[in-house]
Amino acid sequence: MAERGAAQSSASSGESLLFLTDEQLRRGIEAMFFAYRGFTADPDRILENYAYGRAHHRAIHFINRSPGTTVNNLLAILGVTKQSLNRVLRTLVEDGLVESRVGTRDKRERHLYLTDQGIALERELSEAQRTRMRAAYRAAGPDAVAGFRTVLEQMMDPELRHHYFSNTEGGA
Amino acid sequence: MAERGAAQSSASSGESLLFLTDEQLRRGIEAMFFAYRGFTADPDRILENYAYGRAHHRAIHFINRSPGTTVNNLLAILGVTKQSLNRVLRTLVEDGLVESRVGTRDKRERHLYLTDQGIALERELSEAQRTRMRAAYRAAGPDAVAGFRTVLEQMMDPELRHHYFSNTEGGA
DNA sequence: CTTGGAAAGTCAACAAGGCTGACATAAAGT
DNA sequence: ACTTTATGTCAGCCTTGTTGACTTTCCAAG
């Protein structure tokens, strides 16, 4: 499936065996833009009620996914500066949604956990997001979903892909 | 709430009839997050050289896509306030990348066009983005690409979907 | 034990790009 | 004539990103 031709610009070659025309690619690009907006719309609406933003959502999501993760881990996943993350984390700790425990093995590290309140907000946010995703998956069908995931994973930076999608494929 | 138990958390049944487990959905959600970051990474790097941001990129993209579009059209597509868009548009006009022509039929409207310089930057940006998209498409294969597009379109807000993807399916 | 350096936190300043509100102008519609 | 629409602009605010400088804590190597 790799030898899909050279995908040259626009209509230079009439080969319609190609599906990688600039027009097709442009549609994919716009689809990403609009879909991402839809994807974040529901959580954004909820977050307004709590005076939080997307940055808080991301922190909550990944702490929920990996309870006990360290600040440095989170930094690597989120790809922001520690100052930026710290600002978000501080408010979440102050508000009692996240607990920061000093490490036992290495006391410099802080291990992050959601409190019951944090878990509640995570549920609310992810449930909204899953609902939309579920609807899209249902409407598109299983084959489309597989393709969706495949392309998305190929679109990420390779390092990240290996890190997060190499050993998680066992399930299902 | 709404114990999504219906979705049989994790891999309870080997039957792949079900593909809507919370775990599957979570993976899709994270894939969207990471893929979007990859998707914007290349243009972002280029934009730094010009002291522009994503907002400029979006304006340039949609003006290129629909030359002569009005400010109001752009506002509707981008989903931002006119003040926000105006700030971006002003710098692009000042810098000679976008031309704003008073409408002939309705002189209140401004019709937007990319200048040669604007076209050049658009090419640079979209070429970078297409390159990544093309690579992902090639690695994933045609069937995956179809599924990718289908799911993304389902994930957008319905109104937008109808507006932008109903009559553009003719090609290919 | 001392010291180097990593991990974490903090303060300050700044920028992009969202937002609201208020207001101005020209042109179109009624 | 009056209202509405399209656009532009000023001012101010917020979130979330950035850099730089600095401190505290603490593991580990000398």
Side-chain angles (χ1 to χ4, degrees), chain A residues 90-109:
Chain A
R90 198 191 318 149
T91 71
L92 291 175
V93 169
E94 279 170 4
D95 296 353
L97 280 84
V98 166
E99 195 191 346
S100 170
R101 297 186 206 151
V102 173
T104 50
R105 204 199 53 189
D106 184 335
K107 293 179 187 168
R108 288 169 305 182
E109 296 178 339

Side-chain angles (χ1 to χ4, degrees), chain B residues 52 55-64 69-75 78 80-101 110-114:
Chain B
Y52 290 145
H56 301 84
H57 183 186
R58 293 196 281 261
I60 288 172
H61 175 96
F62 285 106
I63 293 171
N64 176 71
T69 188
T70 64
V71 174
N72 248 5
N73 282 344
L74 215 47
L75 242 34
L78 296 175
V80 298
T81 59
K82 65 172 180 175
Q83 293 93 329
S84 213
L85 175 59
N86 193 257
R87 179 168 39 198
V88 163
L89 238 33
R90 199 190 317 152
T91 71
L92 290 174
V93 169
E94 280 170 3
D95 295 354
L97 280 85
V98 167
E99 194 191 345
S100 170
R101 296 187 207 150
R110 304 301 145 92
H111 297 272
L112 304 168
Y113 300 87
L114 291 185

Side-chain angles (χ1 to χ4, degrees), chain A residues 1-9 19-39 41 45 58 61-62 65 76-80 123 126-127 129-158 160 164-165 168-172, chain B residues 1-4 7 10-11 13-14 17 19-39 41 45 58 61-62 65 76-80 126-127 129-158 160 164-165 168-172:
Chain A
M1 47 181 71
E3 46 232 70
R4 264 298 138 202
Q8 51 288 70
S9 269
F19 65 104
L20 294 176
T21 62
D22 284 1
E23 173 63 13
Q24 287 285 341
L25 293 165
R26 202 217 71 209
R27 284 188 202 171
I29 287 167
E30 291 188 5
M32 271 299 278
F33 172 66
F34 291 125
Y36 194 77
R37 197 160 69 188
F39 171 72
R45 256 188 301 274
R58 293 197 281 262
H61 174 96
F62 285 105
R65 180 205 153 138
I77 294 176
L78 296 175
V80 297
R123 285 253 171 86
S126 66
E127 194 49 51
Q129 211 154 30
R130 278 198 299 270
T131 296
R132 185 182 286 250
M133 185 79 64
R134 201 181 287 126
Y137 276 17
R138 282 224 189 96
D143 292 347
V145 169
F148 165 75
R149 284 272 306 281
T150 303
V151 173
L152 284 191
E153 288 173 21
Q154 291 299 325
M155 212 177 307
M156 332 184 344
D157 281 334
L160 221 54
Y164 292 100
F165 289 91
T168 45
E169 289 295 351
Chain B
M1 55 171 43
E3 291 306 308
R4 201 66 313 277
S10 293
S13 91
L17 296 174
F19 62 101
L20 293 176
T21 62
D22 283 2
E23 173 64 13
Q24 289 284 341
L25 294 165
R26 203 215 71 210
R27 285 189 202 169
I29 287 167
E30 292 188 5
M32 272 298 279
F33 171 65
F34 291 125
Y36 195 77
R37 197 160 69 190
F39 170 72
R45 255 188 301 275
R58 293 196 281 261
H61 175 96
F62 285 106
R65 181 205 153 138
I77 294 176
L78 296 175
V80 298
S126 66
E127 195 47 54
Q129 210 154 31
R130 276 198 299 270
T131 296
R132 184 182 286 252
M133 185 80 64
R134 202 181 285 128
Y137 275 18
R138 280 220 192 103
D143 292 347
V145 169
F148 165 74
R149 284 272 305 281
T150 303
V151 173
L152 284 192
E153 287 173 22
Q154 290 300 324
M155 211 176 310
M156 328 183 349
D157 280 335
L160 221 54
Y164 292 101
F165 289 89
T168 47
E169 288 296 350

